[in-house]
Amino acid sequence: MAMALSSVQATLFSGASMLRRSDTLRTFTFCLPFSSMTSSVTTDNLSRKKWRRPVVSVLEFGGVKISREDVVRDDPTNNVPDTIFSKLGLQLHRRDQHPLGILKNAIYDYFDSNYANKFNKFDDLCPIVSVKENFDDVLVPEDHVSRSYNDTYYIDPQTVLRCHTSAHQAELLRRGYTHFLVTGDVYRRDSIDSTHYPVFHQMEGFRVFVPDEWEPSGMDATSYAAADLKKCLEGLARHLFGAVEMRWVDTYFPFTNPSFELEIYFNEKWLEVLGCGVTEQEILKRNGQPNNVAWAFGLGLERLAMVLFDIPDIRLFWSSDERFTSQFSKGQLGVKFKPFSKYPPCYKDMSFWISESFTENNLCEVVRSVAGDLVEEVKLIDNFTNKKGMTSHCYRIAYRSMERSLTDEEINDLQWKVRELAENKLKVTLR
């Protein structure tokens, strides 16, 4: 299951139901389930609404094209903006000459070499999943922060854009798969800086063991699975990073017990590579594997690719500029990126009195909706509460294009639009 990289991701694997629709899906077999900025919609309200199955069709080149009307709706229970909808179906991880595709294939090579013909690979599963698949099936508690509209993109009360590739785990188990790798784009409302983006890519690995595999060892099932997991992932780390020093850190995930993080000493510092653990028995029981044991791991492709390729800004992965794309070739893992942008950032500050419903993630959604990938960072630089109990926040917004110089006129225009939309959408009072 793919483990998380932000504060929410730290509690979920960074790391659905596969619905067949003969009329619209055809070769697109898997469609799996997972917010406007409306604070009045609660998780309790969501549970009483019926999940609406999305309508999807197949792109000519094998990707998934989803009608805008099925994802972006003028509805208080929908918080998916056009900027997020535009990323659906791009599937950077399926491009062999893209850093994410190169990394994915390098991981495939490791598993093909060490576990020949054992692991089924899925990298074209639909990112639209049900709340049950995204949360309930992997034992995420009902009161977990990741379920909120502040953190997850809801299409409707029972349908979301997956926030981890683990959303597909239960259905794959029910279909009889016992060794699989799932790679895909995942979606989370998040802060804006050089390492965070609302769309990123994860890979999950999963392996099931039957009693005949662990009983001869004299070890109990959990210990056997944990030992095999660590051996597998230490080998993967060496495959990607070379002969590096490693350490295991005990941690917590809702769907594994025990749970671990693997860290490596790379470029003179400790780097978290992935999260993993022995799968909670309840997940196996629910999905037809009551007598077996399993392990799972999850990793963020961008996190590792930024280190392996020396890519300084996560926005670059989405660039179509030839000065970026031409630097990478199929099968060439770890080619160091040569920066081509020396354009300076432009900073604009914005101060306002916040409302009770204000969240920083909602502000970041407003800024992204106006400036898109021209926004480099949104940072809180000052806050105070006056004698009347009113709280003021001051945010510094950094604008910078990776490909050209921005003019004062267009920056000023963007900033005024951000101010106007923040006031209207977030119910803040500008200062």
Side-chain angles (χ1 to χ4, degrees), residues 239-291:
H239 178 73
L240 297 178
F241 293 94
V244 292
E245 183 181 354
M246 304 179 215
R247 68 184 183 189
W248 290 97
V249 180
D250 293 337
T251 189
Y252 165 79
F253 301 111
F255 24 68
T256 55
N257 184 26
S259 302
F260 315 101
E261 289 175 348
L262 175 61
E263 297 183 349
I264 64 170
Y265 196 71
F266 190 75
N267 288 344
E268 300 184 349
K269 63 181 179 180
W270 286 101
L271 169 72
E272 179 190 336
V273 175
L274 51 78
C276 62
V278 178
T279 306
E280 283 283 5
Q281 207 59 30
E282 180 63 24
I283 293 177
L284 295 174
K285 288 178 181 177
R286 291 182 183 181
N287 297 293
Q289 306 277 347
N291 300 317

Side-chain angles (χ1 to χ4, degrees), residues 1-5 8-15 34 134 138 140 144 146 162-167 169 186 188 200 202-206 229 233 251-262 272 274-280 283 294-300:
M1 300 184 177
M3 300 302 184
L5 304 180
V8 173
Q9 296 168 349
T11 56
L12 290 173
F13 253 0
S14 134
F34 193 20
N134 197 68
V138 288
V140 176
H144 197 279
S146 64
R162 65 183 171 211
C163 67
H164 50 181
T165 48
S166 303
Q169 183 186 108
V186 298
R188 294 182 189 167
F200 55 105
Q202 292 184 339
M203 178 185 290
E204 169 172 349
F206 201 92
L229 170 66
L233 296 180
T251 189
Y252 165 79
F253 301 111
F255 24 68
T256 55
N257 184 26
S259 302
F260 315 101
E261 289 175 348
L262 175 61
E272 179 190 336
L274 51 78
C276 62
V278 178
T279 306
E280 283 283 5
I283 293 177
W295 56 241
F297 75 83
L299 55 84

Side-chain angles (χ1 to χ4, degrees), residues 324-394:
F324 176 77
T325 59
S326 64
Q327 293 190 37
F328 309 102
S329 302
K330 180 179 180 179
Q332 300 299 306
L333 181 68
V335 172
K336 302 307 179 185
F337 169 67
K338 297 179 179 61
F340 57 84
S341 173
K342 300 185 184 299
Y343 304 113
C346 178
Y347 298 100
K348 295 289 184 180
D349 292 350
M350 181 169 69
S351 298
F352 48 80
W353 301 105
I354 66 171
S355 62
E356 289 186 1
S357 62
F358 174 81
T359 70
E360 188 170 300
N361 278 358
N362 283 346
L363 174 63
C364 289
E365 287 295 311
V366 164
V367 178
R368 281 196 184 98
S369 71
V370 173
D373 286 352
L374 294 181
V375 60
E376 182 175 68
E377 184 177 40
V378 174
K379 184 178 181 180
L380 179 66
I381 60 172
D382 187 39
N383 69 91
F384 69 90
T385 301
N386 66 13
K387 293 180 180 180
K388 296 181 180 180
M390 299 172 63
T391 299
S392 171
H393 282 186
C394 180

Side-chain angles (χ1 to χ4, degrees), residues 312 315-316 321 323 337-346 376 399-406:
R315 292 176 298 163
L316 279 165
D321 192 310
R323 291 172 294 177
F337 169 67
K338 297 179 179 61
F340 57 84
S341 173
K342 300 185 184 299
Y343 304 113
C346 178
E376 182 175 68
Y399 297 96
R400 189 206 309 247
S401 171
M402 307 300 294
E403 300 168 358
R404 62 183 178 86
S405 292
L406 300 175

